[in-house]
Amino acid sequence: MLVVIGLLVGWWIAKRYRARGSGPDEAGARGTEDMVRCAVCGVHLPRSESLVTRDRYYCSAEHQREHAQTN
């Protein structure tokens, strides 16, 4: 009988511990980032992964050069 009670208490503690770690605070800790659009092809990508020239965003150095040549 003591073993069953011990297992139930352990299960209850584990359940509460897991529920506490999966709340909205955990999702917010990952953070969010602004998405930008490539001026050439229109693909959306995170701002930190883009290349910027004169307030225009590019998904690759090739598109950055291509746009610079046409202007």
Side-chain angles (χ1 to χ4, degrees):
M1 184 67 168
L2 232 80
V3 173
V4 173
I5 292 173
L7 288 173
L8 287 174
V9 169
W11 173 78
W12 180 75
I13 290 172
K15 182 179 171 184
R16 291 192 46 104
Y17 180 75
R18 280 186 295 216
R20 189 174 42 150
S22 63
D25 292 337
E26 186 177 309
R30 286 182 258 167
T32 59
E33 186 173 352
D34 290 338
M35 299 292 282
V36 295
R37 187 172 181 247
C38 177
V40 175
C41 67
V43 72
H44 287 86
L45 66 155
R47 185 185 303 260
S48 65
E49 294 179 19
S50 68
L51 303 170
V52 183
T53 302
R54 295 187 196 142
D55 294 328
R56 293 194 179 257
Y57 300 97
Y58 304 95
C59 64
S60 66
E62 180 182 347
H63 283 179
Q64 191 177 32
R65 284 190 302 272
E66 183 181 318
H67 194 260
Q69 290 173 353
T70 59
N71 289 333

